[in-house]
Amino acid sequence: MGFRATSTNKRIGSDAVNRAQTTDANSNVDTGVITRDVPNNEARPKGGRTTKKDLRASWSYEFHDEIEPTLAFFYTPRTITMLVLMLSGILYAALFVAGEDVVANTKMGLSAAVMVILLTGLLEFKDGPFIRPHPAFWRVVLAVGVTYEIFLVFVLFQDKHTMRGLLKFIDPNLGVPLPEKSYAEDCSITAETLWNQTDIFVLAHTLGWFAKYLVLRDYWFCWILSVLFEVMEYSLQHQLPNFAECWWDHWILDVLTTNWLGIYMGMKVCRYFEMKQYSWRGINEIPTVKGKLQRTIEQFTPHSWTSFQWKSLDSFKNYAAVIGLLTIELQLELNAFYLKYLLWIPSEHFINIARLVMYFFLCMPAVREAYQYLTDKNCKKFGMHAWITTANILTEALICVKFGQGEFPNPTPKPVLIFWAIFLSCLAIYPLYAFVLKKKTKLE
């Protein structure tokens, strides 16, 4: 089935298509900054600044890519056909499938509403920064983010008791208080205690940090995030019992073993895609069946690759952006633990797994757009994926704050308050020294 394409030049987002081949002074590295084609009658302002006259034009970045002729059918607009099929399907389900069961009708109606939003996103949303396996896939990902935000806003206006009851309509086994589990009952280092601490979450840690590296694409950024999350576990174990772990569980089993392994594997994969020579041939141009099959599989790999260089110490803007991204990432991690604790959703439940998979696909283009916004002076607008993903994470945090009222009677330990007061003070003092006082001293 074909999907929407735009104008004669098919507008398809690419992670490095039409890029400015900016070369570093010391190495021949493509920074992968996406540029917008400026019409001949539109003069670009000196110094790279965007004036009020062409500010509106800078809102939209157009990405172009040649369409593989053998795949042209999938890039042909089918909006009218899809509209007819959608309305026909809804009409059939409403007249001939829906019965008198209120619960079943409610589930069917909500499912149909979600499908309408997803189909609308597939056909009408703008393309994002990626084109593989198909731009339509990433438009659906954006539509999933919009749907999830609508659901979160609905949840925010409920109370926790109502939501626990509503979740039973998804799975009758939900709505039951979770047993408290602590990983710090026996911290002696023996074969038995090490084996007892090894469960499915060890594999989850490794896969999780592998995915995080694919999203963030920076070795030290991931290391800082890994250490900070363990510090957050120390700081919040008076609220969440499963944050209580042995010291060797925090720093040896988690940081130095599972987290490092995931980060290392992610780094190797990113380096492979970064060093790979990208040359895309049409399937009809490949003579062998093996070559055609390989080209088909490669359709599900990146079209090109951009390495991220956050350069947090180069300017206050970069410093603030990295601190903000670290905060958002930490909040995303904490939301998972607080939501399942407050809504009584077991860790292994498919809702938690689906949420993690959803955020992986949301964060891939979101972080790419955030990086574009940070590094490209011509980019004046926060990308669609970045905007909706940030909204999702912060709305989840609001739900945790609301539902957490009265759930955590234990006060925050004084050492934790002292640590965070010192840490946050250092974060505030450092840019004052590095970007104001030090710069002023150099000028003098």
Side-chain angles (χ1 to χ4, degrees):
M1 183 174 295
F3 302 112
R4 180 205 64 171
T6 57
S7 70
T8 305
N9 289 326
K10 306 293 191 298
R11 182 176 59 80
I12 301 169
S14 172
D15 190 14
V17 177
N18 291 341
R19 298 180 296 174
Q21 304 296 324
T22 307
T23 304
D24 186 82
N26 299 322
S27 61
N28 190 22
V29 179
D30 175 17
T31 59
V33 177
I34 301 175
T35 59
R36 180 175 60 86
D37 295 331
V38 181
N40 294 329
N41 60 350
E42 180 185 340
R44 184 181 295 279
K46 294 182 179 181
R49 293 186 177 181
T50 305
T51 62
K52 292 182 178 180
K53 185 177 181 180
D54 71 336
L55 179 60
R56 185 175 183 82
S58 70
W59 287 2
S60 178
Y61 276 67
E62 299 290 332
F63 310 116
H64 303 284
D65 182 43
E66 293 184 1
I67 302 301
E68 162 61 40
T70 55
L71 301 175
F73 174 80
F74 295 99
Y75 293 88
T76 304
R78 305 284 178 182
T79 51
I80 302 299
T81 302
M82 296 300 292
L83 177 62
V84 172
L85 290 176
M86 181 190 74
L87 293 177
S88 300
I90 292 175
L91 180 63
Y92 175 81
L95 294 180
F96 302 105
V97 179
E100 298 181 356
D101 189 337
V102 176
V103 175
N105 289 345
T106 301
K107 291 181 178 179
M108 188 178 300
L110 291 175
S111 299
V114 170
M115 291 304 299
V116 169
I117 297 175
L118 297 183
L119 188 60
T120 302
L122 183 148
L123 296 172
E124 301 298 340
F125 280 10
K126 293 182 180 179
D127 294 330
F130 298 149
I131 65 171
R132 294 295 167 86
H134 192 290
F137 173 81
W138 298 104
R139 294 199 293 269
V140 172
V141 168
L142 179 61
V144 170
V146 173
T147 306
Y148 187 57
E149 179 63 18
I150 294 172
F151 170 73
L152 290 176
V153 172
F154 169 79
V155 173
L156 186 60
F157 282 84
Q158 312 306 311
D159 60 72
K160 56 192 171 189
H161 305 291
T162 301
M163 278 311 304
R164 290 166 182 168
L166 289 176
L167 288 176
K168 292 179 71 69
F169 288 99
I170 299 177
D171 184 351
N173 296 321
L174 296 177
V176 180
L178 301 179
E180 294 186 359
K181 182 177 181 180
S182 174
Y183 293 91
E185 295 176 356
D186 183 4
C187 290
S188 60
I189 304 179
T190 63
E192 183 179 358
T193 55
L194 290 174
W195 177 256
N196 290 336
Q197 299 287 46
T198 304
D199 52 21
I200 189 62
F201 297 109
V202 172
L203 178 62
H205 267 273
T206 303
L207 293 178
W209 283 100
F210 173 77
K212 289 183 184 70
Y213 194 95
L214 294 183
V215 171
L216 299 170
R217 307 183 193 179
D218 188 281
Y219 184 77
W220 290 109
F221 194 109
C222 288
W223 264 111
I224 293 172
L225 185 63
S226 176
V227 172
L228 279 178
F229 183 74
E230 298 302 323
V231 174
M232 294 300 295
E233 286 190 326
Y234 272 116
S235 304
L236 297 171
Q237 61 186 3
H238 64 284
Q239 294 185 350
L240 299 179
N242 62 340
F243 274 179
E245 299 176 352
C246 300
W247 68 268
W248 48 265
D249 196 349
H250 279 293
W251 304 111
I252 298 179
L253 188 60
D254 287 352
V255 174
L256 297 179
T257 304
T258 56
N259 295 4
W260 172 82
L261 182 59
I263 292 172
Y264 180 78
M265 292 192 301
M267 178 181 66
K268 286 298 182 181
V269 171
C270 287
R271 285 185 178 177
Y272 166 78
F273 285 124
E274 185 178 349
M275 300 299 294
K276 179 181 177 181
Q277 296 295 324
Y278 293 91
S279 178
W280 299 106
R281 299 170 61 191
I283 293 179
N284 289 337
E285 300 174 5
I286 302 174
T288 64
V289 175
K290 181 180 178 181
K292 293 179 184 291
L293 180 61
Q294 182 179 353
R295 174 61 181 84
T296 301
I297 296 175
E298 288 179 345
Q299 185 68 22
F300 296 88
T301 64
H303 183 276
S304 57
W305 194 260
T306 301
S307 59
F308 293 167
Q309 299 176 9
W310 296 102
K311 299 180 180 179
S312 59
L313 304 182
D314 282 14
S315 67
F316 177 76
K317 178 183 177 182
N318 288 31
Y319 177 83
V322 169
I323 295 299
L325 184 57
L326 277 170
T327 303
I328 291 293
E329 286 288 339
L330 284 173
Q331 189 61 58
L332 173 60
E333 296 288 333
L334 292 175
N335 288 347
F337 290 92
Y338 277 94
L339 286 174
K340 68 182 183 181
Y341 177 85
L342 294 169
L343 296 176
W344 298 347
I345 304 175
S347 299
E348 64 277 5
H349 198 273
F350 76 88
I351 290 180
N352 289 322
I353 298 173
R355 176 186 174 276
L356 292 176
V357 174
M358 178 196 71
Y359 266 117
F360 171 71
F361 287 107
L362 283 175
C363 288
M364 284 287 287
V367 175
R368 180 64 184 87
E369 289 177 344
Y371 182 77
Q372 185 73 31
Y373 183 74
L374 176 65
T375 59
D376 187 356
K377 294 181 179 179
N378 295 316
C379 182
K380 304 298 181 182
K381 182 182 178 183
F382 209 44
M384 301 173 293
H385 290 271
W387 192 93
I388 197 64
T389 304
T390 304
N392 290 160
I393 296 171
L394 296 182
T395 307
E396 283 185 342
L398 293 176
I399 293 172
C400 294
V401 171
K402 178 180 179 180
F403 288 4
Q405 296 179 6
E407 291 285 338
F408 309 111
N410 297 331
T412 304
K414 189 175 181 179
V416 173
L417 295 175
I418 295 174
F419 169 81
W420 283 105
I422 296 174
F423 181 76
L424 295 177
S425 298
C426 291
L427 286 182
I429 293 173
Y430 174 80
L432 180 63
Y433 165 76
F435 306 119
V436 179
L437 298 179
K438 192 175 180 180
K439 186 176 181 180
K440 184 177 181 181
T441 303
K442 287 183 178 181
L443 293 176
E444 293 177 352

